[in-house]
Amino acid sequence: MDPRCVIGRAVTSATPATPATPATPAASATPAAPRFDLPEPDAFTQPYWDAAAEGRLLVRRCGAEGCGRAHHYPREFCPYCWSGEGSWERASGRASLYTWSVVHRNDLPPFGGRTPYVAAVVDLEEGPRMMTEVVGCGEGELRVGMGLVVRFRELVEGVAVPVFAPA
């Protein structure tokens, strides 16, 4: 079973160690804890993650006549008209706060070390709503509709995710 499918704990194999095989330092070393904040790009979303690593936020724009709406999260079809015609577009990076929740406990690595943090939904200037995190702002300063601007958190070298800060 994929450990990402189990909330709060990793699943280990029930296969016992073979006693005839001596343990080596590499074999007995504790594996790194799983991380639940790393994206898993596929061939379609790779341009989005490459742009994020370069400090650019992309959205998809429907190419169908009569639609043309922007959407986020990246997917191969327009969620409004179901057209497969679409293209990547650089977003302005400006948004307004739609809603938020302050997370005080999260057992998934590495989120526990970040608590408390602000999980949020923002309205991008281009139209779509996006789940994200608000940084650089105390929870008492948060207001519905407040202006935000995109920033990027580098998780590991070459991998970044968009977060938002007060404009």
Side-chain angles (χ1 to χ4, degrees), residues 14-95:
T15 307
T18 307
T21 306
T24 61
S28 64
T30 304
R35 288 190 62 166
F36 293 86
D37 64 337
L38 295 175
E40 295 183 13
D42 59 25
F44 179 75
T45 62
Q46 191 64 56
Y48 176 85
W49 296 113
D50 289 345
E54 297 168 0
R56 296 179 293 119
L57 179 63
L58 299 182
V59 295
R60 292 285 293 174
R61 174 84 53 192
C62 179
E65 188 175 329
C67 184
R69 293 176 70 179
H71 60 271
H72 187 83
Y73 64 91
R75 51 195 162 228
E76 296 183 55
F77 61 91
C78 173
Y80 304 106
C81 74
W82 300 98
S83 169
E85 297 177 39
S87 59
W88 293 106
E89 175 181 296
R90 185 173 183 164
S92 68
R94 292 184 293 274

